[in-house]
Amino acid sequence: MSGLRQEYRAGLEQFLRDSSEESLSRGYELGRSALAAGMSLLELVELHRQVLMPCSEYPKELAFEFLKEALSPFEMALMGYREANTNLARANSELAEANHKIKDAQTQLVHSAKMASLGTLTAGMAHEVNNPLAFCLGHVHSIQNWMCKLRDDSALESLWEKTETRLSQVQQGLERIKELVLNLRRFSRLDESEIDTVDVHEQIELALLFLRHETRDRVQIVRRYVEDGVLTCYPSMLGQVAMNLLSNAVFAIPETGKITITTTRDSETFTISIEDDGVGIPPENRDRIYDPFFTTRPVGSGTGLGLAIVFQLVRAHRGTILLESVVGRGSRFIVELPLDFEGREAGLLLGDNDAAEGSR
């Protein structure tokens, strides 16, 4: 600063002697140097005072004019800061609006993906309904033929026994159809905002039911359930988490394999672990698996939204989701949900960025 002080003294004295425009412009250059050196306004004014004190014979008006010129760069910088702050405030407002639009789009995306998921469930439902429906229709046809023979056949007792057996089987088949339809209605209910107490294991079994046509004769399901499976949560969200994770586990097994479902609980957390012995997830993909539209499935066989939705639904419960995977040996997803869900004032779906983090 000593060199700047000497330059300022020389510039001020030169201007006080000749009052030329060239000398006055020197004040502006000195002000720029002071600003670049990190000098504050008060420091510049104090420097001006110190330089001016030995020069009391010069007019104070000229000294003040030189000071104003030296302060011009500071004023311009201040105006720049104000403009930058205005632009920043405008950018923040636009960012907040864009963020709101993104949240709305995410909500619509989740809804659309759920509709696609329901389409998959419907396909599984159709497969499950087809078998009992087929033998029901077959038995009804047989009963009709037997009833026509009752007039001419003397072995009425035997036919009546067969008729009774077939009718019983028809009733069982129809009851199974009724149960499947009821389970589908339970699984697909759109009551995300309603908190309820459910049995986690029942939600898992519902998902397994709809995936039975994919797992039968190909994938062994191993259940290791904790005795108490009751949890307070958003039931339909939990059902979709189970459905998406199990669907991914099934897809990860190209031929035959095993899926192990484990549940545990402690004083604070209910944990669901879904492990497969499939192909595993490469390290370069592990940071992207929760990104919307990221998928390793062939074109047309996956939307890339399954795990993205799972992440959002787990976050809506203020829970966490962890991944352990070894290429060629399989993957394990671990979902940890708080037992005191209501006490934590759980955030609504996609609406609370302060929800507990989920490991990606």
Side-chain angles (χ1 to χ4, degrees):
M1 290 293 182
S2 59
L4 181 60
R5 185 176 183 279
Q6 292 175 0
E7 289 182 24
Y8 191 88
R9 175 189 290 274
L12 176 57
E13 291 177 347
Q14 178 66 32
F15 176 71
L16 293 176
R17 285 195 299 268
D18 59 24
S19 304
S20 66
E21 289 294 328
E22 182 179 354
S23 298
L24 184 61
S25 64
R26 178 60 179 160
Y28 179 83
E29 295 298 327
L30 290 170
R32 289 183 58 185
S33 299
L35 180 63
M39 183 179 293
S40 67
L41 283 170
L42 292 178
E43 290 174 329
L44 180 63
V45 172
E46 177 61 19
L47 174 59
H48 182 85
R49 187 187 66 82
Q50 293 176 5
V51 173
L52 189 62
M53 285 177 60
C55 307
S56 57
E57 69 274 19
Y58 295 114
K60 297 295 189 295
E61 291 79 8
L62 290 177
F64 182 70
E65 187 175 357
F66 189 88
L67 177 61
K68 287 196 300 182
E69 194 70 11
L71 292 177
S72 295
F74 287 84
E75 184 179 6
M76 293 177 63
L78 182 58
M79 291 175 61
Y81 291 145
R82 288 175 178 172
E83 183 178 359
N85 285 335
T86 301
N87 293 337
L88 181 60
R90 185 184 302 112
N92 285 336
S93 177
E94 293 173 354
L95 182 61
E97 182 179 357
N99 188 45
H100 179 71
K101 291 180 179 179
I102 289 174
K103 287 183 177 181
D104 289 343
Q106 281 182 313
T107 301
Q108 293 298 323
L109 190 61
V110 169
H111 179 72
S112 298
K114 185 164 186 178
M115 294 303 100
S117 178
L118 287 177
T120 302
L121 293 180
T122 303
M125 177 71 178
H127 183 88
E128 289 297 320
V129 168
N130 186 61
N131 289 335
L133 186 60
F135 73 70
C136 284
L137 292 175
H139 291 337
V140 168
H141 183 69
S142 297
I143 291 172
Q144 289 174 340
N145 290 336
W146 293 336
M147 294 298 292
C148 291
K149 297 178 181 179
L150 287 179
R151 296 178 181 178
D152 304 324
D153 196 329
S154 59
L156 295 180
E157 184 175 356
S158 175
L159 283 176
W160 278 114
E161 290 178 355
K162 290 182 179 180
T163 302
E164 185 177 5
T165 300
R166 294 297 186 268
L167 286 175
S168 176
Q169 292 176 344
V170 168
Q171 183 177 5
Q172 292 175 9
L174 294 176
E175 288 294 333
R176 184 179 174 189
I177 293 175
K178 179 181 178 181
E179 181 182 359
L180 287 171
V181 173
L182 179 60
N183 286 337
L184 180 59
R185 291 180 60 189
R186 289 173 180 170
F187 190 86
S188 61
R189 59 186 179 182
L190 300 176
D191 58 351
E192 287 89 349
S193 61
E194 296 182 6
I195 299 174
D196 200 359
T197 299
V198 297
D199 190 322
V200 176
H201 303 148
E202 289 184 358
Q203 296 293 316
I204 295 174
E205 291 301 320
L206 281 174
L208 288 173
L209 174 64
F210 296 123
L211 291 170
R212 184 183 297 172
H213 65 290
E214 295 284 351
T215 60
R216 181 185 289 127
D217 302 326
R218 189 174 77 86
V219 179
Q220 177 188 2
I221 305 297
V222 178
R223 300 167 175 82
R224 297 173 180 170
Y225 292 161
V226 69
E227 183 176 352
D228 183 4
V230 175
L231 179 68
T232 299
C233 61
Y234 293 121
S236 63
M237 290 187 190
L238 182 62
Q240 191 165 1
V241 168
M243 180 66 184
N244 289 2
L245 290 180
L246 287 169
S247 177
N248 276 12
V250 171
F251 177 80
I253 301 174
E255 296 181 1
T256 59
K258 178 175 68 174
I259 295 176
T260 302
I261 309 170
T262 305
T263 60
T264 60
R265 68 187 301 150
D266 55 28
S267 59
E268 297 182 353
T269 306
F270 192 99
T271 303
I272 305 169
S273 168
I274 297 178
E275 181 178 6
D276 65 73
D277 57 0
V279 296
I281 301 174
E284 62 270 19
N285 290 341
R286 291 174 193 169
D287 289 337
R288 304 176 60 194
I289 59 173
Y290 300 112
D291 294 343
F293 304 112
F294 175 76
T295 180
T296 58
R297 300 190 183 189
V299 176
S301 62
T303 63
L305 293 172
L307 289 178
I309 292 175
V310 166
F311 182 81
Q312 294 290 357
L313 298 183
V314 171
R315 190 181 72 169
H317 285 86
R318 295 191 180 272
T320 61
I321 179 168
L322 308 173
L323 168 65
E324 298 174 356
S325 184
V326 178
V327 175
R329 296 180 58 184
S331 304
R332 179 165 71 136
F333 284 92
I334 305 169
V335 176
E336 296 181 346
L337 303 174
L339 295 180
D340 59 337
F341 177 50
E342 291 180 288
R344 294 193 183 189
E345 298 180 353
L348 292 177
L349 177 60
L350 303 175
D352 188 352
N353 291 329
D354 296 329
E357 64 176 346
S359 298
R360 284 177 170 253

